[in-house]
Amino acid sequence: MKFSKKSEYGLRALLELCETYGGRVLQRHEIAERQNIPVEFLEQILLALKRAGLLASRRGVRGGYSLIKSPEEITLGQVIRILDGPLAPISCVSKTAYQKCADCPYAAKPSCPLQQAMGEVRDAIANILDHYTLSRFAHSK
């Protein structure tokens, strides 16, 4: 499973915001420059994280972004779900965006071998990312 650039950039931006948590706000161009992220793309990411309740923003010359929640309260799983959607490798094993497979020969049967395996993959990924906090992530760099 591969995560998008959106999630990668989002996590990198959050690393910067962790460093100033409880202090000053960071302007998007500061984050973009430090993390080598296109400013326009970063703006979309920051707005999604703001809408999800992880960030606050302030307008004006001294404006910028800051974390609302403590880095200990935010998990990588949360961030990736906000930016990329479900962690499940296939939609028929998703807990948050389940979709029945229309073309699968096992859809009408009581069990599907693919669901079993991919369900375990989903659980393993979620178990790691939902217990890996932003604080731990920031301190591992």
Side-chain angles (χ1 to χ4, degrees):
M1 173 172 228
K2 184 175 178 175
F3 297 113
S4 72
K5 277 292 188 188
K6 193 174 189 179
S7 282
E8 179 188 334
Y9 288 165
L11 290 170
R12 287 175 25 199
L14 288 169
L15 284 174
E16 292 295 327
L17 291 165
C18 278
E19 290 183 19
T20 60
Y21 176 68
R24 71 181 190 91
V25 297
L26 286 179
Q27 294 182 342
R28 65 183 176 172
H29 74 272
E30 290 178 274
I31 298 168
E33 187 177 302
R34 290 180 192 164
Q35 291 294 330
N36 198 27
I37 302 170
V39 176
E40 298 80 21
F41 194 25
L42 178 61
E43 181 64 26
Q44 294 172 21
I45 293 166
L46 295 173
L47 288 174
L49 295 171
K50 180 183 173 187
R51 280 191 297 270
L54 299 184
L55 301 181
S57 66
R58 191 168 59 200
R59 293 179 181 246
V61 177
R62 296 184 184 198
Y65 289 89
S66 61
L67 288 174
I68 292 176
K69 294 183 176 182
S70 161
E72 289 85 23
E73 297 177 66
I74 302 169
T75 68
L76 300 190
Q78 283 177 290
V79 174
I80 292 167
R81 284 184 189 95
I82 290 165
L83 298 174
D84 273 347
L87 298 176
I90 57 177
S91 60
C92 65
V93 298
S94 176
K95 289 187 176 183
T96 58
Y98 172 83
Q99 287 184 342
K100 188 175 183 175
C101 301
D103 61 346
C104 180
Y106 297 100
K109 296 184 180 181
S111 67
C112 170
L114 195 57
Q115 278 185 330
Q116 176 65 33
M118 292 301 112
E120 289 181 30
V121 169
R122 176 212 55 221
D123 292 345
I125 291 170
N127 189 45
I128 294 167
L129 294 176
D130 289 339
H131 293 94
Y132 212 107
T133 66
L134 199 52
S135 177
R136 180 177 167 203
F137 182 58
H139 288 94
S140 68
K141 71 174 191 165

